[in-house]
Amino acid sequence: MRAVVLHSHGGPEVLAIEEVAAPVPGPDEVVVQVAATALNRADVLQRMGLYPDPRRIQPEIPGLEFAGTVVEVGARVALWALGDRVMGIEAGGAYAERIATHERLLLRVPDQIDLVAAAAIPEVFLTAWDALVLQGGLTSGRWALVHAGASGVGTAAIQIAKAIGARIAVTCSSGKSEACRALGADAVFDRSPHDWLAEARAAVPQGFDTILDVIGGEEIDRNLQAVATRGTIVQVGLMGGSSSQVNVGVLLTKRVTWVGTTLRARPIEEKAAVCRRFAAEMLPLFTTGALRPVVDSVYPFDQIADAHRHMEANANTGKIVVTIN
Amino acid sequence: MRAVVLHSHGGPEVLAIEEVAAPVPGPDEVVVQVAATALNRADVLQRMGLYPDPRRIQPEIPGLEFAGTVVEVGARVALWALGDRVMGIEAGGAYAERIATHERLLLRVPDQIDLVAAAAIPEVFLTAWDALVLQGGLTSGRWALVHAGASGVGTAAIQIAKAIGARIAVTCSSGKSEACRALGADAVFDRSPHDWLAEARAAVPQGFDTILDVIGGEEIDRNLQAVATRGTIVQVGLMGGSSSQVNVGVLLTKRVTWVGTTLRARPIEEKAAVCRRFAAEMLPLFTTGALRPVVDSVYPFDQIADAHRHMEANANTGKIVVTIN
C-alpha cells in the first residue's frame, strides 16, 4: 500500500509517499481502507520530530484519524463486517491506504455523512467532547470558554456545547469571528490585538464553568482570572509554550480544577471506553444534524505537504482533510 | 462571654481577650460551650489581616475549630441535645467561650476522646481526608505524598492513608522524621538541606497517585515531577508563595489533575455534606483507635498569643490546642 513514511523530520517536504507492507489484522482488529484522513497539530509536531508515536512503530507513518471502509476483519471481530463505513482515531498510521485498528475503537459513520467529511470528525469531536463534558463537567445551563474557536477542536466544541444546552464563548483571531458565530457561539472575543479578558468578564461576569485551552502560555493566567469559582480548566495543548508563570493562589481561592489531557497517549482500554460512550452520546447528534463536520479544505494524498503548509499558516476554519483512496 | 477580638491586625500581641455578647442560636443552630479550640495556619494569616473571615462578621473573632458541649439548641434542631459532646469547624468565632453553628456541621466526639484532644481533630482530619480521598482519589494500594508530614494536616494524613490501606510518603523538616514514622509513614524524606525528589523517585519509581501540598512555591515543579501518570495534586496551601513558574507541559504528558481547595470558603451545604460523610467514614476509626488526634501542646486561653508564637516557630508536631472553658 502507499503511505507517508517519515525517514527524517523537518518541514512539509519530508512527507514522502512510498510503498510499504499493508497491515495484517490481529484477532480483535479490523483493517480499514482509508478514504480520507485529516490533519492535526500533533501531525506537524510529529513531522518536526517533537511528538513521536508513543508506540514507536517502524516505519513511522503519521496520521491520527481516518474514515473508510472495512476490508478485513480478525478472527474474533464481532462488531463489524466487510463494507461497513467506519471512522476512528489511532496513535499513528492514518496517512496510509490501509490501517489496522482494534474493533472497539471504531465508530460507525452516520449514513448521511460521506467518508471525506467523516474524516473531519473523530479527533476534534472526541477531543472537544471528552475535554468539555467528561473532564470539564460541562452541562446544560453552564458557560464554556474555548480558545481558538475556529480551529478543528473549536468548531467541534461550539457545536457540542450548543447541542447539550450549554452556553459557549470562544476566542479567535481576526477574520474568523463570523464563522464562530455561524456555528452557534454565544459570544466571540477577538484574540488580537486586544486582550479578550475584559470582554469576557463583561459578557459572563460570574466566570466560565469550563475552559478548554489549546494554547497555554500567556492565556494561563487569563484563564485563571476568567474561570468561575469551582470551575475546571482543561489543558488540551500548549501552542503558546509549555512553561508559564502561574498565579497558583487563584487555584485555591476559586477552588479550581486544572487538568491536562491528551487522547493519543491513552492506553487502549481508556480510548475504547471514550469511543463507546461517544458512540452512544454524540453519534446520534450527527444523524439529527445537531452536529456536523466542519471541513476547511480537501487535499489529494499527493499534496499532503501543501495541506501541512496550509495548517501552519493558521488560516483554516475547521478541518483540513486529505483524500487517500 | 470572653472571646478574642481582633481590633487591629499584626503580631500575636493583637490577640486580646474581652467580653462580648454570647451568640443566640438560629432555629437550625446549636450553641456549643467551647472546651478547647486549636490553631491553624489560617489563624496566623487572619491575625495579620491577610485572610479575613469570609462572612465578615463583627466583632472579628478568629478560630476555625472547637470541641465542647451543647448548651443551647434552636427550635428546629433534631440531631443534638443539651450536654452532647461535639466538635466542628466554622469560618471563624472559635476563639470564644461559646459558638453558634448549624446542627448539620457538628460531629459527635467519640466517647474515649476528651474534649481537649478532640479540638485537635476537626480541621486537620477533615482537610486531609477531603484532600486525599474525596478530591485526590486516594484508595487502598495507591501511594500518597504529603508535604509537612509533622504538621497538623500531615499527621492526620499519615493516619488516614494507613487506615484505608494506602501507602504514604511525607516530607518534613529535620528532626521530625521519627514522629512521622511512628505515625505510620512508609517513607519520610527530609526537606532540608537536600532535595527530596531524588529520594522520592527511588522509593516510588512509578510516582505518587495523590499529592497533598500545603507549601507550593518551589515544590510545585517537584510535585509535577513526582506525580504518577493520571495522578492528582491537591493544593491546600501556599506557604511557599502564591506565584510560581510551572512546567505546564507535564500536566498534559502525564494527564495530571491539579486542584486547589479550601474548606473555609465553602457554602454551608458543601461543608455539611463533607461533615456528614466524614461522620460516616472517618469517625468510626477514632473509636477503633486507627485514628487519633495528635496534640503537640496545650495552652490556656490567656496564653493564646504564646500559642501563636509557637506555631510561627514551626517547631510543633501535630496540633496546638488552646483550652477555653
Side-chain angles (χ1 to χ4, degrees), chain A residues 100-312:
Chain A
T101 189
H102 195 286
E103 68 160 338
R104 295 197 65 80
L105 295 180
L106 284 172
L107 300 165
R108 190 173 301 279
V109 175
D111 287 344
Q112 70 274 47
I113 297 179
D114 68 60
L115 291 177
V116 173
I121 294 175
E123 273 287 342
V124 294
F125 279 89
L126 279 163
T127 295
W129 173 72
D130 176 77
L132 287 176
V133 177
L134 299 192
Q135 304 207 52
L138 189 67
T139 65
S140 65
R142 296 186 195 272
W143 267 104
L145 172 68
V146 175
H147 293 304
S151 68
V153 169
T155 55
I158 294 169
Q159 296 179 69
I160 291 168
K162 298 315 296 175
I164 66 169
R167 291 170 288 179
I168 183 165
V170 300
T171 66
C172 66
S173 50
S174 302
K176 296 182 177 180
S177 304
E178 272 316 303
C180 295
R181 282 202 187 82
L183 285 166
D186 297 288
V188 180
F189 311 127
D190 196 332
R191 282 191 67 225
S192 55
H194 57 291
D195 182 349
W196 55 266
L197 183 61
E199 280 182 75
R201 282 178 156 161
V204 187
Q206 75 274 33
F208 295 92
D209 302 291
T210 306
I211 298 180
L212 191 171
D213 180 19
V214 295
I215 296 173
E218 292 184 355
E219 300 297 16
I220 286 175
D221 259 348
R222 287 195 276 263
N223 290 342
L224 287 167
Q225 291 181 71
V227 73
T229 295
R230 299 204 74 194
T232 300
I233 302 168
V234 187
Q235 199 74 46
V236 178
L238 287 169
M239 288 171 58
S242 68
S243 184
S244 297
Q245 189 72 25
V246 176
N247 185 354
V248 185
V250 179
L251 274 188
L252 268 78
T253 54
K254 291 192 183 174
R255 301 162 58 201
V256 172
T257 298
W258 188 13
V259 57
T261 186
T262 165
L263 281 178
R264 193 187 196 189
R266 296 187 196 178
I268 188 164
E269 71 276 13
E270 288 186 50
K271 283 187 181 172
V274 170
C275 288
R276 300 306 5 117
R277 200 167 156 188
F278 182 89
E281 299 186 23
M282 287 287 115
L283 276 191
L285 303 188
F286 287 96
T287 301
T288 64
L291 302 180
R292 61 179 181 82
V294 179
V295 176
D296 171 82
S297 46
V298 180
Y299 288 78
F301 197 20
D302 290 338
Q303 293 170 25
I304 195 165
D306 287 333
H308 269 237
R309 290 182 188 102
H310 184 53
M311 169 162 270
E312 290 180 88

Side-chain angles (χ1 to χ4, degrees), chain B residues 33-77:
Chain B
Q33 176 166 295
V34 179
T37 185
L39 268 54
N40 291 280
R41 289 278 162 190
D43 302 2
V44 174
L45 294 175
Q46 181 171 359
R47 192 199 72 210
M48 295 163 71
L50 303 173
Y51 191 36
D53 185 336
R55 303 168 308 172
R56 308 272 173 172
I57 292 172
Q58 290 301 326
E60 184 182 357
I61 303 172
L64 300 180
E65 62 188 322
F66 57 89
T69 308
V70 173
V71 291
E72 284 185 73
V73 293
R76 293 196 294 251
V77 165

